[in-house]
Amino acid sequence: MMGLILGFIGRDRTASIKGLNFWAAATLVAGLGTLTRILLRNFTSDAVAIGAQNVCLILTAALFLAGTCEFFDRPLPRRFLWSLVAVASAAMVVFASYEQGPIHRRIFARSVLVALYAYHAWVIHRQEKTFARYLTLGSLLMLLLLISARAVVGYLVPESDGVDSVEIMQVVYAVGFSSADVLIPICAILMTHENIRLMLEDMALRDSLTGALNRRALFQLGDSALAGCQRRGQPLSVLLLDLDHFKQINDLQGHHVGDLVLKHFADWVQGILRRPAMLARYGGDEFVVVLPGTTPEDAEQVAERIRSGPVALPEVPVCHVSIGVASSVQGHLETLAALIQRADKGLYLAKNAGRNRIETVGA
């Protein structure tokens, strides 16, 4: 059921959320593993049936890992899954052919599972922590603990080891793995839900054409950044950008070309800025750049890099920019709106002085 849910989500969201198909396949393979062992035991030896189930367990762990790596843009090599299945299958065939094979099969399968789940936990640990990621990490650590405990008990009490054992450790192991088969897909669904929610929140804060922050987000995030700079005694600078003669491009070449200019310009500016700087579309062909912790002198350098213009593209006409610069003053409480108003005065001076210029306005 979990696999079908993830599969349906993946079919609708594959373009924007990666890894869902791997997760869906993992849940299906997990169920197939138990079914395969039950069916094969009626037609072949226990060694072959258990070996097939171990391959399914390894493939399940690998698919979950592959899905998580795709989800966080850390894709595994393309041949990883096929190579792992080939090696695991070959190993199980070999282990079924001699007397000590069952012991070596357990060591092999547990070692591979520990490696896969440990790397999976490391990938999750490196990401920003959320409830779903904490839950996933906890589930993986539980599996690692179960596998390790079973290996230790199996070494100390060999007769208690094996899938048909009724010893308490085997019961705990079976229940734990069965729970994980349900819990990890739930974690995958929760991480997908978090991702969709974050995407929707981000879309609500961004201009659909340029990808820059919209006006609402500018004041929401910009005022917060300004308050933080004021608490720390740091300056904050604002650049107000206006594309020169942009109306002529719209009138003479059409709005579709104007849209290309705006998007290309926004991409250029985003490539220049470094966090925690923010770019927002203020309206029409006007943009605002917020530079926390940046002095007027450094802000002018950033403005000059922007003014130098993006690399021209054949389908995008060259469009220069005029820029007004304003910076907060230590000890002087000022809103972001007031800073933008001062930067607007600088922009007005730049326009009157011939455009394609930078003008800084003090307090």
Side-chain angles (χ1 to χ4, degrees):
M1 181 60 71
M2 293 294 181
L4 292 175
I5 292 173
L6 286 167
F8 280 121
I9 297 174
R11 190 175 64 176
D12 293 335
R13 297 282 180 178
T14 303
S16 55
I17 301 179
K18 302 174 183 178
L20 290 177
N21 290 336
F22 282 119
W23 285 336
T27 59
L28 296 177
V29 171
L32 181 63
T34 301
L35 184 62
T36 297
R37 176 171 170 264
I38 294 173
L39 293 177
L40 285 179
R41 293 190 76 173
N42 296 324
F43 303 101
T44 186
S45 66
D46 282 352
V48 173
I50 295 170
Q53 185 181 28
N54 282 338
V55 172
C56 288
L57 287 174
I58 291 170
L59 181 57
T60 297
L63 285 168
F64 274 130
L65 171 60
T68 298
C69 289
E70 286 273 334
F71 186 79
F72 292 116
D73 288 322
R74 299 173 58 92
L76 295 171
R78 291 186 177 182
R79 297 182 181 178
F80 169 76
L81 289 174
W82 294 116
S83 300
L84 183 63
V85 170
V87 170
S89 300
M92 294 305 154
V93 171
V94 172
F95 296 144
S97 64
Y98 61 96
E99 186 177 353
Q100 295 299 316
I103 297 175
H104 297 158
R105 181 189 65 223
R106 293 166 194 162
I107 294 173
F108 174 82
R110 290 166 188 173
S111 298
V112 174
L113 288 173
V114 165
L116 291 171
Y117 286 128
Y119 183 68
H120 197 160
W122 181 79
V123 171
I124 295 289
H125 175 69
R126 288 177 60 86
Q127 311 307 317
E128 182 181 351
K129 300 301 182 292
T130 64
F131 171 76
R133 293 169 193 177
Y134 273 123
L135 185 61
T136 306
L137 183 59
S139 302
L140 293 168
L141 293 177
M142 179 194 72
L143 284 172
L144 286 170
L145 180 62
L146 279 173
I147 297 171
S148 301
R150 189 186 187 202
V152 171
V153 172
Y155 174 77
L156 297 176
V157 190
E159 63 273 13
S160 72
D161 206 2
V163 294
D164 293 320
S165 172
V166 294
E167 296 290 335
I168 185 64
M169 188 63 229
Q170 172 60 21
V171 174
V172 171
Y173 182 80
V175 172
F177 248 84
S178 299
S179 301
D181 287 342
V182 175
L183 190 57
I184 291 183
I186 289 175
C187 293
I189 292 173
L190 289 175
M191 286 196 292
T192 301
H193 175 265
E194 286 180 346
N195 190 290
I196 294 172
R197 177 177 57 80
L198 291 173
M199 285 171 49
L200 292 174
E201 289 177 356
D202 188 66
M203 288 172 60
L205 297 176
R206 301 219 170 254
D207 174 59
S208 59
L209 173 63
T210 64
L213 297 173
N214 57 31
R215 192 174 180 126
R216 171 171 166 257
L218 166 65
F219 286 101
Q220 178 181 331
L221 301 176
D223 278 327
S224 176
L226 178 58
C229 287
Q230 289 171 342
R231 285 195 305 270
R232 295 187 296 270
Q234 295 177 337
L236 179 141
S237 297
V238 167
L239 313 181
L240 184 58
L241 322 173
D242 185 84
L243 297 178
D244 297 330
H245 305 297
F246 180 74
K247 186 175 184 301
Q248 293 181 10
I249 294 176
N250 273 339
D251 291 344
L252 299 177
Q253 301 186 54
H255 286 277
H256 66 287
V257 177
D259 288 347
L260 286 176
V261 171
L262 291 172
K263 189 175 187 317
H264 183 48
F265 178 73
D267 290 343
W268 161 261
V269 177
Q270 291 279 29
I272 290 174
L273 301 179
R274 297 292 179 266
R275 290 185 178 181
M278 293 174 275
L279 172 69
R281 188 177 180 189
Y282 197 56
D285 59 331
E286 285 190 333
F287 294 83
V288 170
V289 173
V290 178
L291 300 168
T294 305
T295 63
E297 295 76 19
D298 290 338
E300 288 177 2
Q301 292 182 13
V302 175
E304 179 55 33
R305 292 182 63 193
I306 295 173
R307 190 202 64 79
S308 64
V311 177
L313 297 177
E315 68 276 15
V316 181
V318 176
C319 192
H320 298 296
V321 60
S322 299
I323 304 175
V325 182
S327 301
S328 63
V329 178
Q330 188 172 357
H332 181 202
L333 296 180
E334 193 171 19
T335 65
L336 182 66
L339 277 175
I340 293 175
Q341 284 182 347
R342 283 205 283 123
D344 190 38
K345 293 179 181 178
L347 178 62
Y348 179 80
L349 294 174
K351 292 286 188 183
N352 284 345
R355 293 182 166 84
N356 192 22
R357 296 172 57 89
I358 300 168
E359 294 289 343
T360 301
V361 176

